[in-house]
Amino acid sequence: MPDLLVKLYELPELEPLRRSLAEQGFTLRRGIPPERHIVLDWIQKHFNNHWADEAAVAFANKPSTIVLVVDENTKGVAGFACYEATYKAFFGPIGVHPDYRGREIGRALTLAALHGLAELGYAYGIIGGAGPVEFYRKTVEVLEIPGSAPGIYRGMLRS
């Protein structure tokens, strides 16, 4: 999976997506440390330990660099995205529970995290090990970084 480069100074607006999610009963917001254990358990259950480890780092940043979409009906997590977790200027991981896919949650999480990188002062962001490249191409303008696979995760210990 290649890494992708994103111009953070030409991102689509986030507010229309935030409003659309709100109309569907969702809240898009930054995660806070007291809910860390709930979110990490959810990520481990629905995705994997590696992503939960990256999310733990995002929770430890000040301010946190994890974005959540919360289902206001159930008060549960629908999806998450991290940035500035494993490496500076990197986006990821991102995950949306299968029951919530197709509602623009992934797109909103991606844009919120990329806007977060821009707010940190970066002009460009990197989507590391981008699995669904077509999803990102539909969401933001991206450039595939040649020779970037396997990228930063090469040689990573796996259980």
Side-chain angles (χ1 to χ4, degrees):
M1 295 181 286
D3 293 341
L4 304 175
L5 190 65
V6 180
K7 290 187 289 187
L8 300 175
Y9 52 87
E10 289 185 0
L11 293 171
E13 289 186 34
L14 179 58
E15 285 313 306
L17 277 172
R18 187 185 303 273
R19 284 191 301 275
S20 173
L21 288 178
E23 290 169 4
Q24 297 177 62
F26 297 105
T27 300
L28 172 67
R29 63 174 177 77
R30 184 185 308 271
I32 59 172
E35 59 196 4
R36 176 184 179 271
H37 68 284
I38 296 167
V39 175
L40 296 184
D41 288 348
W42 183 87
I43 294 170
Q44 287 174 324
K45 179 180 177 184
H46 298 289
F47 298 99
N48 61 62
N49 288 333
H50 298 293
W51 285 10
D53 290 341
E54 290 179 288
V57 172
F59 268 113
N61 288 331
K62 301 290 184 270
S64 73
T65 56
I66 184 167
V67 183
L68 305 174
V69 168
V70 176
D71 181 333
E72 290 302 326
N73 295 313
T74 65
K75 299 298 182 195
V77 180
F80 79 100
C82 300
Y83 60 99
E84 191 91 347
T86 300
Y87 282 92
K88 293 206 172 281
F90 267 70
F91 163 85
I94 179 174
V96 176
H97 189 281
D99 293 347
Y100 292 102
R101 292 180 185 162
R103 300 185 194 188
E104 301 257 306
I105 291 171
R107 186 168 190 263
L109 287 164
T110 299
L111 287 177
L114 293 173
H115 277 280
L117 283 174
E119 289 166 9
L120 290 174
Y122 296 108
Y124 295 91
I126 300 166
I127 301 172
V133 173
E134 282 311 307
F135 164 78
Y136 294 116
R137 287 189 201 287
K138 291 177 189 173
T139 303
V140 292
E141 186 177 331
V142 296
L143 176 67
E144 190 171 317
I145 301 173
S148 61
I152 63 169
Y153 299 103
R154 79 179 70 223
M156 182 178 85
L157 298 175
R158 300 189 185 271
S159 51

